[in-house]
Amino acid sequence: MALLELKNMNITYKVGKKRVFAVQDACMEIEEQDAVGIVGESGSGKSTLAMGVLRLLSPRIADIDGEVLYNGQDFLKLNEDELSKLRWKEISVVFQKSMNALSPVHKVGAQMEDVYRIHFPKAGSEEVKKKIYDLFQIVNLSDRVYELYPHELSGGMMQRVSIALSLLFSPKLLVLDEATTALDVVTQGQILSEIMELQSKMKLTRMMITHDVSVVSSTCNKVVVMYAGRMMEQGYVTDVLVHPKHPYTQGLLRSFPSFTGAKSDLRGIPGSLPDLSVKPTGCVFAARCPHATDQCRSKLPEMKTVGNKWQVACHLAEGENNG
Ligand code: ATP
Ligand code: SF4
């Protein structure tokens, strides 16, 4: 059984009378110890998907339907009490600016102790400190960070603290949403290798949200390519990012220097994302796709299986319809 399975998940923002269809018909499976990269350009719905899975979107802001099965249990059917038992302990998340949630007037160590005591109120002071120091070591932070205030940390140290915090209750699934995006290349590279190391040490499963395909290719085994709220292609990195079958994946890869070699080969994808408040009749990528036909503009392509766990939503792809 998959650790996490999404079945026909839809997330619709409510903005006054307007509806923004930010995630449409998302289906995916994450198996234990997978590292799945969710990639796509800005506005494609990656963060919305992560927040929906974690049930961090209030029903006032968005409607969510479909199924989010964690170990077979539907996350969307749990009440707040049941959810709070699973968050942090089973699934935890690191955002680009997770540290903003910490108070600027209290030391980092004391705040982490407080978080630990939410689930383990009777834990002794030495036990908690040891747990935090062990985590600091895993994310390459010195013990002195315990006594520092958040404003005394560099961007890289902040993200390391955020990652340490997310690991406080030894979760099974770690969601990283653009967690290293704002960092310089060197620090980003260091933190990514620390993440991979801790993933194998702690037998973690990882969902990695990023707009950077090279981060996915270097740190993930599977990838989901999103565009305008829909999943375009998904499968093993060694298939999807090496022999992409979807025209959007092909365009996305051409926009990255590491995939095309010479800088002169770099090409963006002309055009921009469609208006997500209008449900398209055909393929969401049709207006920008160099291969679009009349069929593409009038009929939504179904997800087809084209190889081992490899799926493509394009009329041109040859494979079996997922039904
Ligand atoms: P980025 O990398 O820029 O964060 P993303 O792929 O994570 O992009 P989302 O942030 O999930 O994309 O946004 C998906 C769509 O949902 C966008 O069209 C965005 O404008 C819209 N959206 C996001 N948050 C809200 C909200 N609170 N209310 C209404 N629409 C929203
Ligand atoms: Fe392009 Fe048509 Fe495939 Fe959409 S379905 S990606 S428009 S070829």
Side-chain angles (χ1 to χ4, degrees), residues 38-211:
I38 314 279
V39 73
E41 65 198 271
S42 184
S44 54
K46 309 180 296 293
S47 297
T48 302
L49 180 80
M51 289 195 290
V53 167
L54 293 154
R55 289 265 311 267
L56 294 174
L57 293 167
S58 139
R60 276 182 295 112
I61 296 177
D63 288 327
I64 307 182
D65 59 68
E67 288 174 67
V68 177
L69 303 174
Y70 179 79
N71 269 331
Q73 186 175 29
D74 191 351
F75 241 54
L76 301 185
K77 295 206 170 101
L78 300 182
N79 63 33
E80 260 313 312
D81 257 10
E82 292 165 326
L83 266 178
S84 62
K85 285 186 191 126
L86 293 179
R87 280 200 206 114
W88 293 82
K89 280 185 172 172
E90 294 287 329
I91 304 186
S92 68
V93 60
V94 182
F95 291 108
Q96 192 173 340
K97 291 188 175 155
S98 286
M99 279 287 287
N100 287 356
L102 291 188
S103 155
V105 295
H106 294 102
K107 290 181 179 170
V108 168
Q111 297 195 61
M112 289 182 73
E113 282 190 31
D114 288 346
V115 174
Y116 193 74
R117 289 216 163 78
I118 294 173
H119 285 294
F120 297 106
K122 291 184 187 147
S125 176
E126 285 313 305
E127 173 195 334
V128 185
K129 264 200 171 140
K130 181 171 182 318
K131 174 85 191 173
I132 295 171
Y133 285 147
D134 286 350
L135 287 175
F136 278 179
Q137 203 179 4
I138 288 176
V139 297
N140 227 346
L141 282 172
S142 98
D143 289 355
R144 74 184 179 87
V145 171
Y146 205 92
E147 297 299 333
L148 297 180
Y149 291 94
H151 70 264
E152 295 180 282
L153 307 180
S154 68
M157 288 160 89
M158 282 190 194
Q159 283 316 80
R160 287 184 165 101
V161 169
S162 303
I163 294 166
L165 251 175
S166 73
L167 300 174
L168 211 48
F169 301 109
S170 313
K172 283 203 186 74
L173 175 64
L174 179 63
V175 179
L176 297 147
D177 186 353
E178 302 281 9
T180 59
T181 300
L183 305 172
D184 65 84
V185 182
V186 175
T187 312
Q188 171 169 354
Q190 286 167 348
I191 294 185
L192 289 175
S193 28
E194 285 154 22
I195 288 171
M196 284 192 292
E197 212 174 299
L198 72 88
Q199 176 168 10
S200 78
K201 262 191 207 153
M202 300 176 80
K203 302 205 182 322
L204 275 173
T205 305
R206 174 162 51 97
M207 187 198 268
M208 185 102 180
I209 287 152
T210 177
H211 62 276

Side-chain angles (χ1 to χ4, degrees), residues 234-299:
Q234 58 177 308
Y236 286 103
V237 161
T238 44
D239 291 324
V240 176
L241 299 187
V242 179
H243 308 289
K245 289 192 188 285
H246 196 287
Y248 179 67
T249 317
Q250 291 164 356
L252 193 67
L253 296 186
R254 275 196 298 271
S255 350
F256 277 85
S258 46
F259 284 89
T260 48
K263 267 202 162 157
S264 55
D265 285 346
L266 268 188
R267 269 171 284 158
I269 308 172
S272 52
L273 279 178
D275 180 355
L276 296 186
S277 63
V278 180
K279 273 197 179 176
T281 43
C283 172
V284 278
F285 189 53
R288 297 170 79 184
C289 179
H291 311 291
T293 61
D294 286 346
Q295 183 196 29
C296 300
R297 284 179 276 272
S298 59
K299 187 168 179 270

